[in-house]
Amino acid sequence: MGLWLAAVSFAQPTPNTPPPDFPPRVFEIARELRCPVCQGESAAESNAGIAVEMRRIIAEQLAQGKSETEIRQFFVERYGDWILYEPPARGPTLWVWLSPLIGLALLGLGLWQYTKRVRAQAQAPIGDVSEEEIARLEAELQTPGKS
């Protein structure tokens, strides 16, 4: 049994781990890129194989002398603007940037309309109330102990 476990452990492929000597700049760029596999993780945080490969590509392109903009553009050409954590405000992503402002404007308009209607009701003349109702209310207010 021990011999079998030793054979199985040696038969396992070595994990594709990133070299520990990536410069910090690789992780700075990778933090701005979304991991295509993981939800809500950047390529710097994720341990998915594709994120590790993205970091390796970033290191390789930095070694070739490419700028951060060129490296980001490399990934945008392959995955689209979605790969960026802060996509540019154009095209369909413009709605993502503007939707909170539009939502706040609609909320403000709704609140303004509501307060306008409540004020109008509060300032409405009391003439619509009949004398009989006024007398009943006055009687209820003057009667002690009746709730």
Side-chain angles (χ1 to χ4, degrees), residues 19-29 31 55 58-60 62-63:
D21 57 346
F22 278 151
R25 195 162 172 220
V26 169
F27 289 95
E28 289 173 14
I29 296 171
R31 263 185 227 110
R55 291 192 297 260
I58 293 169
E60 186 179 290
L62 281 173

Side-chain angles (χ1 to χ4, degrees), residues 78-111:
R78 275 144 189 84
Y79 297 101
D81 288 334
W82 174 86
I83 198 75
L84 299 173
Y85 258 111
E86 292 188 24
R90 65 172 185 245
T93 59
L94 185 60
W95 284 108
V96 174
W97 287 97
L98 292 178
S99 61
L101 297 175
I102 293 170
L104 284 174
L106 290 174
L107 179 66
L109 180 66
L111 284 173

Side-chain angles (χ1 to χ4, degrees), residues 39-106:
Q39 293 286 325
E41 282 189 297
S42 72
E45 299 166 337
S46 174
N47 287 325
I50 195 165
V52 172
E53 183 65 15
M54 288 172 72
R55 291 192 297 260
R56 189 194 62 73
I57 290 171
I58 293 169
E60 186 179 290
Q61 291 191 0
L62 281 173
Q64 293 172 358
K66 291 188 178 178
S67 69
E68 290 183 26
T69 306
E70 290 172 326
I71 295 170
R72 268 190 246 114
Q73 188 60 35
F74 172 82
F75 286 105
V76 167
E77 288 172 2
R78 275 144 189 84
Y79 297 101
D81 288 334
W82 174 86
I83 198 75
L84 299 173
Y85 258 111
E86 292 188 24
R90 65 172 185 245
T93 59
L94 185 60
W95 284 108
V96 174
W97 287 97
L98 292 178
S99 61
L101 297 175
I102 293 170
L104 284 174
L106 290 174

Side-chain angles (χ1 to χ4, degrees), residues 138-147:
E138 286 177 351
E140 285 184 13
L141 289 174
Q142 292 176 359
T143 307
K146 185 176 180 184
S147 54

